[in-house]
Amino acid sequence: MVQENIKKVEAKIQAACAGSGREPKDVRLIAVSKTKPVEMLQEAYDYGCRDFGENKVQELVDKYEQMPKDIRWHMIGHLQRNKVKYIVDKVYLIHSVDSLRLAEEISKEAVKKNIAVSILVEVNVAGEESKFGTTSEEAAALVEEISKLPNLAIKGLMTIAPYTDVPEENRPYFAKLKQISVDITRKNIDNVSMEELSMGMTGDYEVAITEGATCVRVGTGIFGERQYTTL
Ligand SMILES: *Cc1c(COP(=O)(O)O)cnc(C)c1O
C-alpha cells in the first residue's frame, strides 16, 4: 500500500514538473511519517525513500534509533528550545525555525557538539493565527539576524499553507514564499542560501511544485489518514 502510494505521488510530482518546466530531481519528496509505526516507514525505505519528516522530538528520536542510519530526518514541527539538544545531531534539516531565540539555542547546541546544522526559516505567509512562523514582513530581517550565529546554515524558507479542499487557493501563498526568497537572495547575505523552498503537503503539493517548491512534505498521500488518540 505504502509503495503503491509513493509511486502515485512520484507520478504526480513528475506531471507537475513537466507542466512547469522543472526537473523531478529538483523536488525532494519528504515522507511525513508522524504517528505511523516503523513498519510502515520501513516499507517506504525499502522502496527507496531516504527523506522522512517528523514533527515531535521524542518520536523522531525513537524512530531514528530504530531505522537505518542513511535516512535524512527532517524536523518539520514546532520545536521547543529545551528539546533542541536531543535532535541537533540527528536531523538533516530543521524546517521550523521561527524565532531568533530558537535559532540561538540550535546554534549553541551545534557549537557544543562541533557540528553545522542546516535550517529553514518558517514563514506564516497566510498570516493564520493558529500557525507558527515569522511574518512575511519580518522574514528577511530574521534571516539576517540568524545568519550571524555560528554553526548554522540557512538553506531557505518553509511555509505551511492553510488547509483547503481547493489547492489552487494556496497558489498565492506559495508564490509569496518564492518572492520572499528571491528578495532575500538579492540581499546577498553572508552565510545564507535560498536554495530550498519547503512547501506543499498532500492536498496541494502539485500547486507548490509549479510555484517552485524544492521540498514537498507528504504524509497522508503516502501513509494514509492519521489517527490521533487522546491517550
Ligand atoms: C503533518 C504535516 C505534513 C503532512 O501533511 P499531509 O497533509 O498528511 O500530507 C506536512 N508538513 C507539516 C509541517 C506537517 O506537520
Side-chain angles (χ1 to χ4, degrees):
M1 216 270 281
V2 168
Q3 300 192 349
E4 287 305 306
N5 288 344
I6 299 172
K7 272 183 205 155
K8 284 182 199 154
V9 172
E10 283 179 342
K12 288 185 185 172
I13 290 174
Q14 270 173 25
C17 283
S20 54
R22 301 192 57 206
E23 298 289 334
K25 68 167 174 47
D26 296 330
V27 179
R28 184 195 298 268
L29 172 59
I30 299 173
V32 176
S33 47
K34 63 193 188 196
T35 78
K36 298 297 179 182
V38 286
E39 292 71 29
M40 289 181 89
L41 278 70
Q42 188 65 47
E43 280 182 57
Y45 180 90
D46 291 341
Y47 177 83
C49 272
R50 291 296 178 272
D51 291 277
F52 289 83
E54 290 286 337
N55 69 339
K56 293 213 160 64
V57 167
Q58 185 62 54
E59 191 172 345
L60 190 153
V61 171
D62 286 347
K63 287 173 174 171
Y64 175 92
E65 304 294 349
Q66 295 177 62
M67 295 291 294
K69 286 294 164 279
D70 61 341
I71 287 175
R72 294 178 289 266
W73 292 99
H74 297 259
M75 177 60 191
I76 61 173
H78 182 62
L79 182 55
Q80 288 170 300
R81 281 179 297 141
N82 60 352
K83 295 193 176 158
V84 165
K85 57 178 175 286
Y86 302 116
I87 60 156
V88 274
D89 55 349
K90 300 186 176 63
V91 289
Y92 175 76
L93 184 62
I94 300 176
H95 293 231
S96 43
V97 177
D98 59 356
S99 71
L100 182 59
R101 283 186 355 140
L102 174 59
E104 282 169 346
E105 184 65 26
I106 298 170
S107 170
K108 194 183 97 193
E109 289 298 327
V111 168
K112 246 192 228 170
K113 295 190 162 75
N114 198 23
I115 54 174
V117 178
S118 296
I119 63 164
L120 304 179
V121 169
E122 179 174 356
V123 188
N124 182 3
V125 275
E128 288 182 288
E129 294 258 333
S130 59
K131 298 253 164 78
F132 293 99
T134 186
T135 63
S136 301
E137 293 73 31
E138 287 166 302
L142 180 59
V143 165
E144 197 150 9
E145 282 302 307
I146 293 176
S147 74
K148 297 171 189 159
L149 301 172
N151 296 47
L152 283 189
I154 302 180
K155 299 287 188 190
L157 306 176
M158 178 271 224
T159 196
I160 305 174
Y163 180 80
T164 173
D165 291 326
V166 188
E168 278 298 329
E169 286 181 356
N170 282 338
R171 186 178 293 281
Y173 301 124
F174 298 140
K176 174 88 184 180
L177 193 72
K178 172 77 188 183
Q179 187 56 52
I180 296 170
S181 87
V182 168
D183 292 345
I184 293 173
T185 302
R186 285 215 189 93
K187 290 176 180 268
N188 263 320
I189 308 168
D190 272 356
N191 208 15
V192 172
S193 139
M194 283 286 128
E195 70 203 70
E196 301 287 351
L197 274 185
S198 171
M199 56 189 195
M201 311 179 14
T202 296
D204 55 19
Y205 65 89
E206 292 152 281
V207 174
I209 288 169
T210 63
E211 294 298 332
T214 64
C215 289
V216 292
R217 312 178 306 264
V218 179
T220 312
I222 292 176
F223 298 107
E225 296 285 338
R226 287 177 293 275
Q227 239 114 59
Y228 291 98
T229 54
T230 48
L231 290 175

